[in-house]
Amino acid sequence: MHNIIGIGNMCFVLISRIEEELSNDKARRGRIQNRFGGVTYNILRQLREYDLCGCSFISVLSNDPIGKSAQNELKSRAIDFSDSLFAENWDSYFVETISPSGHYGIEQMSMLQRLTPETLHPKIDMINKYEALIIDLNLPDESLAFLAKNSKIPIFCDGTSDTLCKKVLPILPYVSVLKLNRQEACLLCGLEDSADIDAIISKMQKLPISQTFVTLGKDGSVFISPTASVFHKVEPKNCSNVLGAGDAYTAGLVAGKLAGLHEKEIMAYASSLAKQVLQRNNRTQY
């Protein structure tokens, strides 16, 4: 089994689902769910759920009640967090509201600011003993630069969100595999959201990155290298809740690359993991 390490965030997630349009004049009834999330943690969780890789995790946790729950969850999924840092109190949250008018999110992830080059430097030799590194764009810029320049193993990076994806630009030459969704790809390339895929491919091929996978929703996904592009189509599905599907795709991408699959095989496998998350979401009523 391949052994990888992820460095990034684990947050306490609160999801509210409201069936009516939001307004500012009264409260709305709905359903609330809580769980642990965070891009890097979600990717590692998916890899462990399907027993695809041995996983270690460097994050910032705590020993208060929420932090103890987070540690118990990591233990239950056989994710090694022994090299994580510990804060006095938990301070990493993400609140998302899902309503007919759209998805709205608020995040607070100040704990991750403790993962500085100074705290990561003593761990770099240990990090380089793994087969791959997943980095989180929620990390401070200087920490991303430190890991990019000092890692001797393949680096995988997820675009994370439209507000964070541009943080990858200074470290692109060091990233082995980048995964983006269509909106993130447009932002990274300086294109409008309505840009067609050919324009995205053309712009991406001019950036200093050798391998990029872009998910296109119902249109599937595309692999982009400086000299070629490969498409993978999927069966279109109407899904109102896509939470976690992108992270599952990235998990499949990591596993597929480490297994030595070709690009089209990787996209097919990654899409199959994302599909399972979408099916699970469709069966779950929040």
Side-chain angles (χ1 to χ4, degrees):
M1 180 182 290
H2 298 285
N3 291 301
I4 68 165
I5 187 165
I7 303 177
N9 195 45
M10 185 177 187
C11 58
F12 186 77
V13 180
L14 191 67
I15 304 170
S16 62
R17 187 176 181 89
I18 302 171
E19 302 299 337
E20 304 175 65
E21 293 286 348
L22 289 173
S23 66
N24 58 9
D25 60 343
K26 66 175 183 177
R28 294 283 189 251
R29 290 187 177 274
R31 293 183 175 87
I32 296 175
Q33 179 198 40
N34 65 73
R35 60 176 176 81
F36 285 103
V39 172
T40 302
Y41 168 65
N42 286 342
I43 295 168
L44 297 177
R45 177 174 58 82
Q46 292 287 341
L47 288 167
R48 290 302 306 134
E49 182 174 338
Y50 298 104
D51 201 26
L52 299 173
C53 292
C55 296
S56 295
F57 186 35
I58 297 178
S59 187
V60 182
L61 307 172
S62 67
N63 285 313
D64 61 1
I66 295 179
K68 289 290 189 183
S69 295
Q71 292 177 52
N72 289 336
E73 177 153 330
L74 289 165
K75 289 175 184 176
S76 72
R77 300 190 183 278
I79 297 173
D80 178 9
F81 59 93
S82 58
D83 286 292
S84 288
L85 304 183
F86 285 84
E88 184 176 350
N89 296 299
W90 190 270
D91 190 24
S92 184
Y93 300 93
F94 184 80
V95 180
E96 179 152 14
T97 297
I98 304 170
S99 76
S101 55
H103 291 202
Y104 307 90
I106 302 172
E107 64 182 29
Q108 176 179 308
M109 300 185 182
S110 57
M111 287 172 68
L112 214 56
Q113 299 305 306
R114 293 170 179 257
L115 286 177
T116 63
E118 291 72 27
T119 58
L120 290 169
H121 183 269
K123 304 177 188 294
I124 195 65
D125 288 340
M126 175 272 295
I127 290 168
N128 281 324
K129 292 179 181 178
Y130 288 85
E131 293 175 74
L133 167 64
I134 300 171
I135 57 172
D136 191 324
L137 292 179
N138 284 291
L139 288 165
D141 290 345
E142 60 272 21
S143 301
L144 290 170
F146 171 81
L147 290 168
K149 293 175 182 177
N150 289 279
S151 174
K152 298 176 182 177
I153 56 177
I155 295 176
F156 291 80
C157 183
D158 187 293
T160 307
S161 70
D162 56 356
T163 57
L164 290 174
C165 63
K166 286 190 174 182
K167 289 183 66 175
V168 78
L169 284 171
I171 62 169
L172 268 183
Y174 303 95
V175 174
S176 306
V177 180
L178 176 64
K179 179 262 176 183
L180 304 167
N181 63 30
R182 186 171 193 147
Q183 184 179 22
E184 292 161 357
C186 287
L187 284 166
L188 212 60
C189 295
L191 297 170
E192 297 292 329
D193 287 351
S194 58
D196 63 41
I197 188 58
D198 289 337
I200 295 172
I201 292 171
S202 177
K203 287 282 190 178
M204 285 299 308
Q205 288 178 328
K206 293 179 174 64
L207 294 177
I209 176 75
S210 60
Q211 298 185 62
T212 305
F213 292 81
V214 181
T215 55
L216 305 170
K218 62 182 177 59
D219 294 321
S221 54
V222 59
F223 165 77
I224 305 170
S225 74
T227 58
S229 60
V230 179
F231 283 88
H232 173 71
K233 298 293 185 181
V234 295
E235 182 182 350
K237 295 284 186 182
N238 291 322
C239 299
S240 59
N241 181 3
V242 298
L243 289 173
D247 298 332
Y249 186 99
T250 305
L253 180 63
V254 172
K257 286 295 295 182
L258 292 177
L261 301 182
H262 295 297
E263 284 75 26
K264 198 141 191 172
E265 294 173 315
I266 291 170
M267 289 186 285
Y269 182 63
S271 296
S272 71
L273 293 191
K275 182 179 179 180
Q276 291 183 53
V277 171
L278 294 174
Q279 290 172 336
R280 188 182 309 157
N281 289 350
N282 195 49
R283 294 192 300 265
T284 302
Q285 296 297 318
Y286 294 112

